[in-house]
Amino acid sequence: MNVNTVVNFYKKYGSNLFQSILTGIDNSLVFVFNKKPSRAPLYVGWLVTHKCNSECGYCTSWEIGKSNKKPELSFQESLELVRQLGRLKTWMLSFTGGEPLLKKNIYKLISEAKKYKIGTNVNTNGFLLEKYAEQIIDSGLDTLTVSIESHDSAVHDKVRVCEDSFARAELGIKKIISLREQRGIKKPYVMIRANVSKRNYEDLDKFFKYWNDKVDEVLLQPIHDGSDTSIFQIKADEISFDDADKFNYKKYMKKLFNKYPNLNSKYYQEFYNFFFNTEKMREKYRCFSSYFSVTIDPYGNILSCPEHLVELGNIKKTPLLDILNNEKSVKFKNELKQHKNKCFCWYNCTGPINQPLTTLFKPFK
């Protein structure tokens, strides 16, 4: 881990590192000694809505948002969920979707989370960012992740199937940073993230040149063709890699890593194996979902992981701590501990966690 990585980590999460340590210890004891958790997982990814104003070719959330008529959590139910997470000392809560800025009163949910010293992130397509910039700043949000597909507005808008989405996102980013400067504050820490695919990897250098001085950090994440239960399903053939792409991908990314040293991390280096030898990755790294992270869907279902493999319970019927200790949860955790999981993912919220924990907990099976 290089110095810049440590500095950036502190800028983003330094305000509640003590809480992260205590919660991380509790999560670790659950894994090592099979104890019942007394705290929530370190990280919670909450899909606050499936509704979306984009129609990306690798995501099905927007389709679910259009077709599913089930009622999503009400504001009061959502508020109570945040309070439960606060009482159980979750370290990081990421609001995602769908498009989370379509969730009514999301700013109040962020503000409520901050009362409990929870680190907060919003993962957005940026279309509504300019409109709600003031509320985002006022909420006390810690980090903002804007998903951007390209440096080229036409390419980005085509992927999103949403006209002017690039321009709207860029204006929103500028306004957030401008308001930050006007108020003399450093948050939210603004990141953009590209989903690396066959379609865009050879333009990543241009992507970094365009965005590097416009935001606090540029992130990458590999495109995922998820499990049957995942919202991430690749529908466009030109996105997926095949064996014929191995040489060119490796050659290009080696040059990119040399040019941008911050990218030359184990997480990014493993993109190659994720794309071309996923089974090797699955054998090499253990999964710690449900121990250190859970996912929550718009209806209050507590899900085992970002792939939505197992529905552990529903927050409207059962308190969160009871769900984390129930039979389904214990069974899923035991399967992971024995390395019996058949799926594998390398999201920004899983890879950087599973990689060091695999090394740390190697002696424990």
Side-chain angles (χ1 to χ4, degrees), residues 101-139:
L101 297 186
L102 289 172
K103 175 74 172 179
K104 189 176 180 181
N105 291 321
I106 188 172
Y107 321 103
K108 293 181 180 180
L109 299 178
I110 297 167
S111 296
E112 189 68 19
K114 294 312 302 172
K115 292 178 184 178
Y116 292 90
K117 299 182 180 179
I118 299 175
T120 52
N121 176 68
V122 166
N123 186 6
T124 175
N125 61 31
F127 194 83
L128 297 172
L129 205 49
E130 184 182 25
K131 180 178 180 180
Y132 295 121
E134 293 273 0
Q135 292 96 318
I136 290 170
I137 294 286
D138 292 341
S139 71

Side-chain angles (χ1 to χ4, degrees), residues 14 26 30 60 116 119 123 185 188 190-191 305:
D26 184 76
V30 174
T60 63
Y116 292 90
N123 186 6
I185 58 176
V190 179
M191 301 169 281
C305 61

Side-chain angles (χ1 to χ4, degrees), residues 93-358:
L93 175 59
S94 183
F95 297 89
T96 182
E99 173 46 51
L101 297 186
L102 289 172
K103 175 74 172 179
K104 189 176 180 181
N105 291 321
I106 188 172
Y107 321 103
K108 293 181 180 180
L109 299 178
I110 297 167
S111 296
E112 189 68 19
K114 294 312 302 172
K115 292 178 184 178
Y116 292 90
K117 299 182 180 179
I118 299 175
T120 52
N121 176 68
V122 166
N123 186 6
T124 175
N125 61 31
F127 194 83
L128 297 172
L129 205 49
E130 184 182 25
K131 180 178 180 180
Y132 295 121
E134 293 273 0
Q135 292 96 318
I136 290 170
I137 294 286
D138 292 341
S139 71
L141 181 71
D142 292 290
T143 62
L144 178 71
T145 308
V146 186
S147 181
I148 301 286
E149 305 296 340
S150 176
H151 63 288
D152 185 320
S153 61
V155 173
H156 174 88
D157 291 359
K158 183 179 179 181
V159 174
R160 291 295 161 87
V161 195
C162 183
E163 189 176 352
D164 293 331
S165 59
F166 182 93
R168 295 280 292 267
E170 187 168 25
L171 285 172
I173 290 169
K174 288 178 179 178
K175 186 166 184 180
I176 289 286
I177 291 176
S178 174
L179 287 171
R180 221 173 51 175
E181 291 172 351
Q182 289 173 26
R183 300 188 186 191
I185 58 176
K186 296 180 179 180
K187 292 189 175 183
Y189 184 91
V190 179
M191 301 169 281
I192 63 161
R193 180 175 62 209
N195 291 294
V196 179
S197 70
K198 180 175 180 175
R199 177 164 48 194
N200 70 358
Y201 83 92
E202 291 181 304
D203 285 329
L204 287 176
D205 185 28
K206 295 177 183 176
F207 183 83
F208 273 87
K209 285 178 180 176
Y210 186 87
W211 286 108
N212 247 352
D213 63 351
K214 294 179 172 67
V215 293
D216 297 312
E217 189 174 357
V218 179
L219 304 174
L220 302 178
Q221 178 172 267
I223 200 79
H224 280 66
D225 194 10
S227 60
D228 291 342
T229 54
S230 174
I231 64 171
F232 296 108
Q233 307 283 340
I234 294 177
K235 297 182 179 181
D237 291 339
E238 69 270 19
I239 292 178
S240 300
F241 289 98
D242 54 45
D243 285 347
D245 302 308
K246 284 183 176 181
F247 178 79
N248 287 337
Y249 175 86
K250 198 166 192 175
K251 182 180 178 181
Y252 183 87
M253 294 304 285
K254 184 178 180 180
K255 290 181 180 178
L256 196 72
F257 292 158
N258 289 334
K259 189 169 184 178
Y260 302 99
N262 287 349
L263 287 179
N264 198 15
S265 67
K266 192 66 176 174
Y267 173 68
Y268 288 130
Q269 290 169 8
E270 290 285 22
F271 280 22
Y272 176 84
N273 285 322
F274 179 76
F275 289 134
F276 301 111
N277 196 347
T278 308
E279 183 57 27
K280 178 181 178 180
M281 292 276 284
R282 193 196 68 78
E283 292 173 359
K284 183 177 181 179
Y285 295 106
R286 299 169 79 171
C287 177
F288 293 87
S289 294
S290 287
Y291 287 103
F292 290 83
S293 65
V294 291
T295 298
I296 305 173
D297 76 9
Y299 317 111
N301 295 311
I302 307 300
L303 307 167
S304 57
C305 61
E307 292 289 281
H308 303 191
L309 287 178
V310 179
E311 186 179 305
L312 304 175
N314 190 285
I315 201 72
K316 292 195 285 188
K317 300 175 182 177
T318 311
L320 178 59
L321 191 58
D322 290 345
I323 294 173
L324 297 175
N325 283 303
N326 70 19
E327 187 177 340
K328 277 187 176 181
S329 182
V330 171
K331 182 181 177 182
F332 185 79
K333 288 172 184 171
N334 286 337
E335 288 175 355
L336 291 185
K337 191 172 183 179
Q338 295 168 36
H339 210 163
K340 291 183 177 180
N341 53 299
K342 301 299 181 184
C343 63
F344 187 82
C345 65
W346 203 242
Y347 299 108
N348 287 165
C349 62
T350 56
I353 296 175
N354 292 337
Q355 179 192 322
L357 290 182
T358 294

